[in-house]
Amino acid sequence: MASTELASDVYALPCGDDGTTALSTPVVVSVLASLLERHIARNERDQAAAADGEAARRARAFDSGTVLDMSLHAFLERFSRYAHVSPQVYVVAYAYLDRLRRGDGVRVVSANAQRLLTTAILVASKFVEDRNYKNSYFAAVGGLTAAELSSLELDFLFLMQFRLNVSVSVFQSYCRHLEREVSYGGGYQVERCLKKALVCSGEAQAQQRQAASAAAQ
């Protein structure tokens, strides 16, 4: 695939204006699927004995014991195609998964991929987007029941300790990380223009102080 195609695909919408014409899937789906497939392979090789405690109990809620009956790419694409999930949501969802890995050691494996990815995308979509589909719709796209997804969302929030904010600088660092997954000499760029300002309170206050200082000079 040419670098120009990689650069432009990320801006493609999943459907046409009438909601019927399917267009190109954002390339971030392919990049993230490839990255997660490698994570899953490594995590399953290095899988340690289950820990105890509240966090471990909530993490085990995502273990379904079943494996997706489709490729990871096809599964992630469903959220772009049917729930109109933007490229930014995928980036934020990946940031959440990385936080869980670093914090409570929750890692994506075949047995929890369906539940964990569906929940991460749902929570990220609620954080990034101004308007969202209901949990029941996301559940249907992810192959879960509405009650199941609502319960998993609560477990996910507790595992995240309700720290869902992603600053602009952190968001951009994950964009660069995903871009490095494509060896096309920088031809692929994740869209970094968010609909909602992903600025943590501390960063926002610092920016306000800088603006006030500049205005006073």
Side-chain angles (χ1 to χ4, degrees):
M1 181 179 292
S3 60
T4 53
E5 292 177 299
L6 287 169
S8 62
D9 277 0
V10 75
Y11 298 99
L13 296 175
C15 298
D17 292 336
D18 60 358
T20 59
T21 304
L23 300 178
S24 300
T25 301
V27 177
V28 68
V29 171
S30 299
V31 178
L32 187 56
S34 176
L35 183 63
L36 288 174
E37 283 170 353
R38 294 200 298 276
H39 283 342
I40 289 173
R42 183 177 65 248
N43 292 339
E44 291 181 345
R45 285 197 305 268
D46 303 336
Q47 210 164 24
D52 295 321
E54 180 68 15
R57 182 191 66 78
R58 291 189 182 278
R60 285 194 294 271
F62 292 92
D63 294 334
S64 64
T66 59
V67 179
L68 284 170
D69 59 358
M70 64 183 72
S71 69
L72 203 54
H73 179 278
F75 181 71
L76 293 175
E77 183 184 22
R78 288 178 58 82
F79 294 94
S80 172
R81 183 175 300 276
Y82 300 116
H84 300 176
V85 166
S86 68
Q88 303 95 304
V89 170
Y90 288 104
V91 177
V92 173
Y94 179 61
Y96 289 167
L97 294 174
D98 194 44
R99 286 183 186 177
L100 291 181
R101 178 184 65 83
R102 295 172 184 270
D104 294 307
V106 179
R107 300 171 185 269
V108 184
V109 293
S110 298
N112 67 16
Q114 179 183 14
R115 292 179 174 183
L116 192 54
L117 293 177
T118 300
T119 310
I121 292 171
L122 168 71
V123 174
S125 181
K126 288 183 177 182
F127 178 69
V128 173
E129 306 287 9
D130 293 324
R131 300 178 64 183
N132 285 280
Y133 288 97
K134 294 181 179 179
N135 279 25
S136 57
Y137 187 84
F138 264 94
V141 173
L144 305 174
T145 67
E148 184 179 16
L149 182 56
S150 295
S151 177
L152 291 172
E153 181 183 14
L154 186 60
D155 286 323
F156 190 91
L157 293 173
F158 272 101
L159 285 169
M160 290 287 295
Q161 298 180 359
F162 292 86
R163 296 173 182 172
L164 303 179
N165 192 69
V166 176
S167 68
V168 171
S169 58
V170 170
F171 176 82
Q172 291 178 340
S173 72
Y174 279 101
C175 287
R176 289 191 294 270
H177 177 68
L178 290 170
E179 288 165 4
R180 286 195 296 270
E181 291 298 310
V182 184
S183 56
Y184 287 89
Y188 170 56
Q189 293 183 344
V190 174
E191 182 177 330
R192 302 183 187 184
C193 179
L194 298 180
K195 295 179 181 178
K196 180 184 291 185
L198 304 182
V199 183
C200 63
S201 58
E203 186 174 344
Q205 291 171 3
Q207 291 180 353
Q208 291 173 357
R209 288 195 297 270
Q210 289 175 356
S213 176
Q217 292 178 354

